[in-house]
């Protein structure tokens, strides 16, 4: 495997090659989406303790103003995406499932909507600690999908020296092109953000991993790198799930994060390219995260593209503005088609970590309603699992309700649900679903 | 406004276009040239034999699903494959009533009693062949000449033997296979004849060339794990080469071992049966090499000239043990199995 990967480009072992389906949006410049009249901002948009509301009903707010504060070191504040009035703080449906407390804002009609709440800061003198605090205060969370607060990722315990900051420029999910467009159009912000993040974690070098199907993005980024930057752009093979943190570390550095550990324990911190653009853009201005780039695509969308969408925009508004055929039964996916989740209602808002909205009409060619058949032990799932699990055996154990054995002897908890196994299974066995259920049953048993 | 109908589903929301039926259909397709050559070579008796075993296998599967109240599974083509493969392992003059019984046992004992497709620990066709060998030893090892002039107009006399009767004498046509020639007569068939298949033998085992081409087709379509035939043939070749190197007067050349008897058919179509072979990448190599090794040992030292069937069945039996010790190494874990 080692020799082969040198011959064919850097990558991790195994994985799959789903069709890219990026042609509809990859050439289109990022456009700005209009403001919805009513915005919904859940207080728990990030991984960690939810933010605490700072505003009350009927209070007027301006665009950029903090409307919720971090409750502790692991939490982040929320900023108002509009100038307008607080309509209330209520339990609202969210994409995560259960209803959650959210601040509801009504945008002032006819407002010019420029960002009014900014506090320019001189970053040149900031210490690593102060930079991390500034990132927290900007309310930045990972833009790749996990919504992990960025300052938490950069706040590495002193006993683990970080040598390399890895920037994830791999967009391996079909349809998604937001990161690609960010690299092309906001390369300067990306590199500025990387310089700040390198200082924050005291990394000697930064490596941006970009898949080899995005040569324009690679060239655009290189333009902004100076000779003394210690930042390099490295091409990796286009393969799914190359954008997974651990797979990228394997491809770029040939290091493996020990099971159950964090990348910093092997001297690496990984961040998404979009997150770097946010840091580079927001920190100098002293502004909070109030909008992000989202790919809206799929056969069910009339005007696919990459849009700058204000956080809190209801999905219904977003889809209506791109020409979503309302009467068609559809599957609406947040994120990409390989790992994204479907939503039950269009009232849910866009939150900080949503990278894509994909609309697939029912029974779409990509996923005809499949009949589940018995496992024929073809072994394809074993051949593609990037983590080196045995999905065939795991499925057999799941059917036998041997959930503990799955965890203790077959490393169930190392599965990060990339879906490669389900993707290739000729018997259409919903393997990932089995594993999710087994994991949650194990968690329940433990608690 | 009526709310849109929204579908909820778990990721992934895409699938690679392959299905069990597609895989099985392609295996059937790949077997057709092998079957065609058998008919060309041995005539209508071969055709009748293949039709009998296939029909019996399909009907047996249908019967068992019906009895257990489960939906019919014959549309997945796997019973067709078992039927064809069983016929391809039988001698051309094998009586049809014996073939029918063998087909019944192949599917019932070899597959349905374990729970059907995917649950069978042994290759069902070889279970059928093992039954034939045990129950009808004489008919199972009586070979007819290939390319008889009347093969398209007349059945071989024993083909139509009445059920539960001893077949009519076929002495006029009987001959020895290349493996028998070597084992009992120390005669070595030319490698080229073995390669093209112009020799006596079981229906589908004579032409190495056609089997190889069929295998390459399946490998190209990613419907056959190339590692299994590679390991079986590699294991057999190395084992045979060692014996040949020690005593070339007593043992045949490794090429003869590869090209004669059921070695090719077994390596490409039997050992590679998905249900009864390992799923772990390292396990597949061990399994294949073991079968190759065992086949040669049985051929060289056993009482019968052929050993591939028993080698594969023994390999099948080893699968759970092999898989136990060849689980892939999980990312971020030091040893296999996370210890």
């Amino acid at each position: 495997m080692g020799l082969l990967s040198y011959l064919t480009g850097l990558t991790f072992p195994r994985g799959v090659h789903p069709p890219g389906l990026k042609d509809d949006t990859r050439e289109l410049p990022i456009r700005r989406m209009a403001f919805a009249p009513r915005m919904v901002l859940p207080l728990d948009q990030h991984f960690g303790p939810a933010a605490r509301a700072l505003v009350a009903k009927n209070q007027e707010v301006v665009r950029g103003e903090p409307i919720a504060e971090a409750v502790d070191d692991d939490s982040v504040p929320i900023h108002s995406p509009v100038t307008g009035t607080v309509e209330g703080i209520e339990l609202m449906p969210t994409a995560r499932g259960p209803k959650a407390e959210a601040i509801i804002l009504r945008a002032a009609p006819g407002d010019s909507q420029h960002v009014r709440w900014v506090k320019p800061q001189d970053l040149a003198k900031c210490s690593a600690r102060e930079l991390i605090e500034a990132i927290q205060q900007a309310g930045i969370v990972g833009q790749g999908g996990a919504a992990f607060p960025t300052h938490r990722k950069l706040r590495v315990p002193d006993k683990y020296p970080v040598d390399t900051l890895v920037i994830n420029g791999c967009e391996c999910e079909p349809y998604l092109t937001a990161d690609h467009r960010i690299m092309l159009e906001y390369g300067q912000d990306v590199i500025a953000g990387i310089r700040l993040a390198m200082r924050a974690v005291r990394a000697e070098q930064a490596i941006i991993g970009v898949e080899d199907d995005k040569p324009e993005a690679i060239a655009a980024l290189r333009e902004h790198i100076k000779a003394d930057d210690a930042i390099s752009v490295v091409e990796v093979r286009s393969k799914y799930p190359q954008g997974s943190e651990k797979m990228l570390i394997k491809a770029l550095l040939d290091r493996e994060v020990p099971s159950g550990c964090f990348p910093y324990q092997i001297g690496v911190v990984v961040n998404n390219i979009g997150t770097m653009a946010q840091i580079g853009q927001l920190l100098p201005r002293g502004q909070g995260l109030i909008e992000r780039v989202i790919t809206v695509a799929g056969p069910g969308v009339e005007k696919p593209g990459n849009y700058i969408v204000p956080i809190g925009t209801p999905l219904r508004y977003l889809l209506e503005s791109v020409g979503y055929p309302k009467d068609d039964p559809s599957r609406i996916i947040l994120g990409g088609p390989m790992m994204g989740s479907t939503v039950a209602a269009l009232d849910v808002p866009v939150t900080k970590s949503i990278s894509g909205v994909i609309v697939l009409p029912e029974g779409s060619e990509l996923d005809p309603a499949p009949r589940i058949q018995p496992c024929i032990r073809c072994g394809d799932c074993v051949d593609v699992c990037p983590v080196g699990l045995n999905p065939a055996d795991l499925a057999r154990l799941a059917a036998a309700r041997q959930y503990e054995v799955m965890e203790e002897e077959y490393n169930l908890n190392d599965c990060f649900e990339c879906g490669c196994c389900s993707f290739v299974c000729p018997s259409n066995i919903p393997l990932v679903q089995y594993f999710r259920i087994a994991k949650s049953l194990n968690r329940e048993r433990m608690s | 406004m009526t709310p849109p109908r929204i579908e909820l589903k778990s990721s992934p929301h895409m699938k690679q276009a392959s299905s069990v039926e597609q895989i099985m259909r392609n295996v059937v397709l790949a077997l057709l040239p092998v079957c065609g050559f058998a008919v060309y070579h041995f005539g209508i008796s071969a055709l009748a034999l293949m039709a009998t075993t296939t029909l019996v296998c399909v009907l047996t599967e249908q019967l068992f699903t019906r009895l257990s109240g489960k939906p019919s599974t014959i549309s997945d083509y796997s019973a067709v494959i078992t039927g064809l493969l069983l016929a391809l392992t039988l001698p051309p003059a094998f009586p049809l009533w014996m073939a029918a019984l063998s087909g019944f046992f192949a599917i019932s004992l070899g597959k349905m009693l374990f729970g059907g497709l995917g649950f069978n620990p042994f290759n069902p066709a070889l279970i059928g062949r093992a039954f034939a060998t045990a129950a009808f030893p004489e008919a199972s090892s009586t070979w007819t000449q290939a390319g008889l002039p009347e093969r398209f107009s007349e059945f071989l006399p024993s083909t139509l033997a009445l059920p539960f009767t001893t077949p009519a004498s076929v002495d006029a046509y009987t001959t020895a296979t290349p493996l028998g020639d070597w084992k009992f007569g120390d005669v070595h068939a030319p490698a080229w004849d073995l390669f093209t298949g112009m020799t006596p033998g079981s229906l589908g085992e004579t032409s190495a060339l056609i089997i190889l081409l069929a295998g390459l087709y399946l490998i190209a379509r990613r419907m056959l794990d190339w590692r299994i035939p590679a390991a079986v043939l590699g294991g057999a070749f190395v084992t045979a080469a060692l014996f040949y190197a020690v005593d070339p007067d007593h043992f045949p050349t490794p090429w003869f071992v590869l090209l004669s008897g059921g070695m090719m058919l077994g390596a490409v179509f039997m050992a590679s049966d998905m249900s009864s072979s390992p799923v772990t990448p390292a396990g597949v190599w061990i399994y294949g090499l073991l079968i190759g090794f065992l086949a040669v040992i049985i051929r060289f030292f056993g009482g019968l000239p052929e050993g591939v069937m028993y080698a594969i069945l023994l390999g099948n039996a080893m699968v759970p043990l092999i898989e136990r010790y060849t689980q892939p190494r999980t990312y971020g874990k030091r040893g296999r199995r996370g210890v």
Side-chain angles (χ1 to χ4, degrees), chain B:
Chain B
M1 184 186 111
T2 52
R5 267 177 51 208
I6 303 179
E7 202 187 350
L8 287 180
K9 205 183 155 269
S10 173
S11 68
H13 307 284
M14 289 176 82
K15 275 223 38 100
Q16 189 166 276
S18 80
S19 65
V20 173
E21 286 87 354
Q22 212 182 348
I23 294 173
M24 299 298 171
R25 259 204 317 268
N26 272 280
V27 175
V28 173
L29 205 64
L31 280 172
L32 286 183
V34 184
C35 297
F37 184 74
V39 174
Y40 165 76
H41 212 41
F42 299 111
I44 50 172
S45 287
L47 190 64
L49 202 48
M50 291 187 294
T52 303
T53 52
T54 307
L55 195 69
V56 169
C57 282
V58 170
L59 289 178
T60 306
E61 180 152 325
Q62 182 74 351
L63 175 74
F64 270 76
T65 48
R66 187 69 66 83
L67 287 178
S68 61
K70 288 186 184 147
S72 167
T73 51
I74 52 171
S75 61
D76 66 24
Y77 290 91
S78 61
V80 175
I81 295 174
T82 299
L84 289 177
L85 282 179
L86 172 62
L88 292 173
T89 65
L90 296 172
F94 201 67
L96 296 184
W97 72 268
M98 294 179 182
L101 265 183
S102 304
F104 174 78
F105 282 114
I107 292 290
S108 58
L109 216 69
K111 184 175 172 189
M112 302 315 282
L113 289 185
F114 290 104
L117 178 64
F119 297 100
N120 49 299
F122 297 99
N123 184 325
L126 290 179
I127 293 287
R129 183 59 166 93
F131 168 79
T133 308
F136 317 114
E138 201 187 331
S140 294
S141 56
T142 303
W143 313 92
T144 42
Q145 294 162 31
L148 291 168
E150 65 273 32
R151 64 189 187 278
F152 294 116
S153 53
E154 282 171 37
F155 285 105
L156 292 162
S158 57
T159 298
L160 299 176
L162 287 173
F164 304 106
T165 59
T166 318
S169 168
V170 288
D171 284 349
Y173 303 105
T174 52
T175 179
T177 64
L179 266 180
D181 274 338
W182 160 74
K183 182 102 185 174
F184 305 117
D186 203 21
V187 178
H188 290 230
W192 180 251
D193 287 354
L194 292 171
F195 186 65
T196 54
M198 304 313 286
T199 62
S202 291
L203 294 194
E205 63 180 34
T206 61
S207 173
L209 174 68
I210 290 177
I211 295 167
L212 276 179
L213 290 177
L216 286 176
Y217 165 79
L218 286 177
I219 288 167
R221 307 228 41 190
R222 296 179 160 273
M223 286 166 183
L224 172 67
D225 188 345
W226 64 273
R227 294 169 291 199
I228 292 178
V232 172
L233 298 177
F237 188 88
V238 169
T239 311
L242 286 177
F243 282 106
Y244 185 69
V246 172
D247 188 357
D249 293 334
H250 185 59
F251 294 106
T253 67
W255 294 112
F256 177 85
V257 169
L258 286 197
L259 298 173
S260 59
M263 186 64 82
M264 283 289 163
L265 190 72
V268 173
F269 284 105
M270 306 277 201
S272 59
D273 171 43
M274 289 168 172
S275 293
S276 53
S277 61
V279 293
T280 57
V284 160
W285 285 109
I286 295 171
Y287 163 84
L289 291 170
L290 183 76
I291 289 174
F293 169 79
L294 288 174
V296 173
I297 296 296
I298 298 172
R299 273 188 185 182
F300 286 5
F301 301 102
L304 291 169
E306 181 58 289
V308 174
M309 172 183 78
Y310 290 118
I312 295 175
L313 288 172
L314 288 170
N316 290 162
M318 296 286 286
V319 167
L321 189 69
I322 293 173
E323 284 195 333
R324 188 172 166 75
Y325 292 101
T326 55
Q327 289 294 322
R329 189 189 67 85
T330 304
Y331 177 103
K333 301 264 187 186
R334 249 167 286 154
R336 292 184 184 277
R337 275 275 189 132
V339 262

Side-chain angles (χ1 to χ4, degrees), chain A residues 68-99:
Chain A
E69 63 178 354
V71 294
D72 62 15
D73 283 353
D74 295 335
S75 179
V76 292
I78 296 168
H79 303 77
S80 174
V82 291
T83 294
T85 320
V86 178
E87 216 178 71
I89 301 174
E90 291 170 28
L91 284 175
M92 295 292 287
T94 65
R96 286 188 184 181
K99 288 191 170 187

Side-chain angles (χ1 to χ4, degrees), chain A residues 246 256 259 326 330 337 340 342 371 376-377 383 387 390 393 409-411 414 422-423 425 428 436, chain B residues 4-7 9-11 13 15-16 21 118 227 274-275 277 323 327 329-333 337:
Chain A
K246 291 181 175 181
E256 283 187 23
S259 176
K326 286 187 282 290
S330 289
T342 51
R371 189 164 62 92
I376 55 169
R377 293 175 44 87
D383 286 339
V387 188
N390 184 334
D393 273 1
E409 290 181 42
Y410 288 83
N411 303 322
D414 287 283
S422 297
F423 178 74
C425 179
N428 297 312
R436 278 194 194 114
Chain B
R5 267 177 51 208
I6 303 179
E7 202 187 350
K9 205 183 155 269
S10 173
S11 68
H13 307 284
K15 275 223 38 100
Q16 189 166 276
E21 286 87 354
R227 294 169 291 199
M274 289 168 172
S275 293
S277 61
E323 284 195 333
Q327 289 294 322
R329 189 189 67 85
T330 304
Y331 177 103
K333 301 264 187 186
R337 275 275 189 132

Side-chain angles (χ1 to χ4, degrees), chain A residues 282-306:
Chain A
L282 301 178
L283 247 52
R285 290 192 222 159
Q287 185 193 325
L289 192 160
I290 52 175
E291 57 195 14
R292 63 158 299 153
V293 181
I294 293 178
T295 303
V296 189
V301 172
E302 278 169 25
K303 286 182 285 181
N306 287 292

Side-chain angles (χ1 to χ4, degrees), chain A residues 148 150 152-157 159-168 197-198 200-209 244-258 261-272, chain B residues 331:
Chain A
F148 205 74
T150 300
R152 272 189 71 185
K153 274 194 132 178
L154 300 176
R155 196 176 60 204
V156 176
K159 63 172 176 170
Y160 296 109
V162 169
D163 55 75
T164 307
L165 176 70
V166 166
I167 306 303
N168 188 349
M198 284 176 78
V201 294
R202 302 188 183 93
E204 295 149 20
Q205 59 161 351
I207 304 176
I208 312 174
S244 145
E245 180 165 285
K246 291 181 175 181
M247 301 302 115
L248 190 57
I249 294 173
K250 179 80 185 172
L252 291 174
L253 302 166
D254 198 22
R255 295 185 207 172
E256 283 187 23
V257 183
C261 294
F262 294 100
Y264 63 69
Q265 288 170 277
I266 53 163
V268 187
V269 168
V270 185
N271 272 280
N272 182 263
Chain B
Y331 177 103

